[in-house]
């Protein structure tokens, strides 16, 4: 049943209401929005509603039965598998590297990889979270949006990597040969694309491909590690990565 609608005459212009005088108008507004009752005003002017709890529970129940909730669960499971599989294979990678490479090579490679990841994260320009938020609603502009974002991030990664290598900021991290410097710059750009790819897949509701991509990448790194170390003892770990 509909609760009775309370109304009081509005105040005349130029007058102000104290808190007790405002209460009938507040109650009137609340009853207008929640006509099924169960609403009351406490002395501080806050409202509580039993109907709000019923409405929230009904909305959650309807959402759990919708197809979108099933897709959401599938995406969440895919991301969990990706994170867990990448973590296990990454641990195996560094365990094998510790047995095959020297301590000096491991320490230097770890510093170089950290610098590379730092520059790649800066070069993303927060497009990772932007993809996840706006790609689902981009519609026909999705392709141009992704292309422009990739172009901006790649250009930023290239500029940051060149500045880091040739300005002297990374003289203790990046090797001094031209080949290794160019390799570091290319790696920063590729890692930026790799990270953006995961966020783009999430934004496009194609998260099921994220664990496939990341786990295959981790397996490839682990398989290439002995080969790269045999080719270069100093840079083999970084090349495999």
């Amino acid at each position: 049943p509909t609760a009775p609608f309370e109304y009081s005459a509005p105040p005349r212009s130029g007058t102000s209401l104290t808190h007790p005088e405002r209460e009938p108008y507040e109650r009137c507004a609340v009853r207008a929005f929640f006509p099924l009752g169960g609403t009351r005003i406490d002395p501080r002017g806050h409202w509580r509603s039993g109907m709000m709890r019923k409405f929230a529970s009904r909305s959650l129940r309807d959402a759990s039965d919708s197809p979108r909730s099933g897709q959401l669960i599938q995406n969440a499971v895919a991301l969990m598998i990706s994170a867990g599989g990448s973590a296990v294979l990454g641990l195996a990678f560094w365990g094998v590297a510790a047995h095959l490479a020297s301590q000096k090579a491991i320490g230097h490679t770890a510093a170089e990889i950290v610098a590379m990841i730092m520059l790649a994260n800066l070069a993303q320009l927060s497009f990772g979270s932007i993809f996840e938020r706006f790609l689902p609603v981009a519609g026909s502009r999705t392709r141009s949006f992704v292309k422009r974002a990739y172009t901006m991030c790649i250009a930023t990664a290239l500029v940051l990597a060149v500045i880091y290598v040739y300005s002297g900021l990374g003289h203790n991290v990046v090797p001094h040969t031209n080949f290794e410097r160019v390799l570091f710059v290319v790696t920063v750009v590729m890692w930026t694309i790799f990270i953006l790819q995961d966020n783009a897949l999430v934004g496009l509701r194609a998260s099921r491909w994220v664990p496939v991509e990341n786990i295959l990448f981790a397996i490839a790194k682990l398989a290439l590690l002995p080969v790269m170390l045999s080719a270069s003892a100093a840079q083999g770990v970084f090349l495999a990565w």
Side-chain angles (χ1 to χ4, degrees):
T2 304
F5 188 88
E6 301 180 12
Y7 179 78
S8 298
R12 292 173 301 189
S13 61
T15 61
S16 60
L17 293 177
T18 60
H19 175 73
E21 295 171 337
R22 289 200 310 267
E23 185 172 335
Y25 304 99
E26 294 171 349
R27 187 183 301 112
C28 172
V30 171
R31 289 293 176 90
F33 279 100
F34 304 100
L36 297 181
T39 303
R40 66 184 180 86
I41 305 293
D42 65 14
R44 293 172 298 176
H46 301 297
W47 55 269
R48 302 187 188 96
S49 176
M51 286 304 301
M52 287 299 296
R53 291 191 294 271
K54 295 179 182 178
F55 176 77
S57 61
R58 189 186 309 122
S59 299
L60 290 175
R61 184 171 59 253
D62 295 341
S64 62
D65 296 335
S66 64
R68 291 179 60 87
S69 64
Q71 185 180 7
L72 181 63
I73 294 174
Q74 292 177 4
N75 292 338
V77 171
L79 295 178
M80 291 170 60
I81 294 173
S82 174
S86 299
V88 171
L89 292 171
L91 181 63
F93 176 88
W94 286 108
V96 174
H99 286 82
L100 298 180
S102 63
Q103 295 181 1
K104 181 180 179 180
I106 292 294
H108 188 275
T109 301
E112 194 172 359
I113 290 175
V114 168
M116 179 265 294
I117 294 176
M118 178 194 69
L119 294 175
N121 288 334
L122 291 175
Q124 289 182 61
L125 304 177
S126 297
F127 271 106
S129 55
I130 292 174
F131 278 168
E132 296 176 4
R133 170 61 183 87
F134 291 104
L135 278 183
V137 296
S140 60
R141 300 181 179 180
T142 299
R143 183 183 297 273
S144 61
F145 178 42
V146 172
K147 285 183 178 180
R148 292 178 182 179
Y150 269 68
T151 302
M152 292 175 60
C153 293
I154 290 172
T156 304
L158 183 61
V159 172
L160 290 177
V162 170
I163 292 175
Y164 183 80
V165 170
Y166 292 100
S167 66
L169 294 174
H171 68 280
N172 290 327
V173 177
V174 182
H176 300 292
T177 64
N178 289 329
F179 171 76
E180 290 169 327
R181 289 182 174 183
V182 172
L183 176 64
F184 181 84
V185 173
V186 173
T187 305
V188 171
V189 174
M190 296 302 294
W191 192 258
T192 303
I193 297 173
F194 183 76
I195 298 176
L196 284 175
Q197 185 70 23
D198 289 349
N199 300 115
L201 290 173
V202 173
L204 294 172
R205 298 297 186 261
S207 302
R208 61 185 180 276
W209 295 108
V210 175
V212 177
E213 175 191 6
N214 290 335
I215 291 176
L216 288 178
F217 174 72
I219 293 174
K221 287 192 302 184
L222 188 58
L224 288 173
L225 182 58
V227 179
M228 294 302 176
L229 281 174
S230 62
S232 175
Q235 285 292 102
V237 179
F238 185 77
L239 291 172
W241 183 275

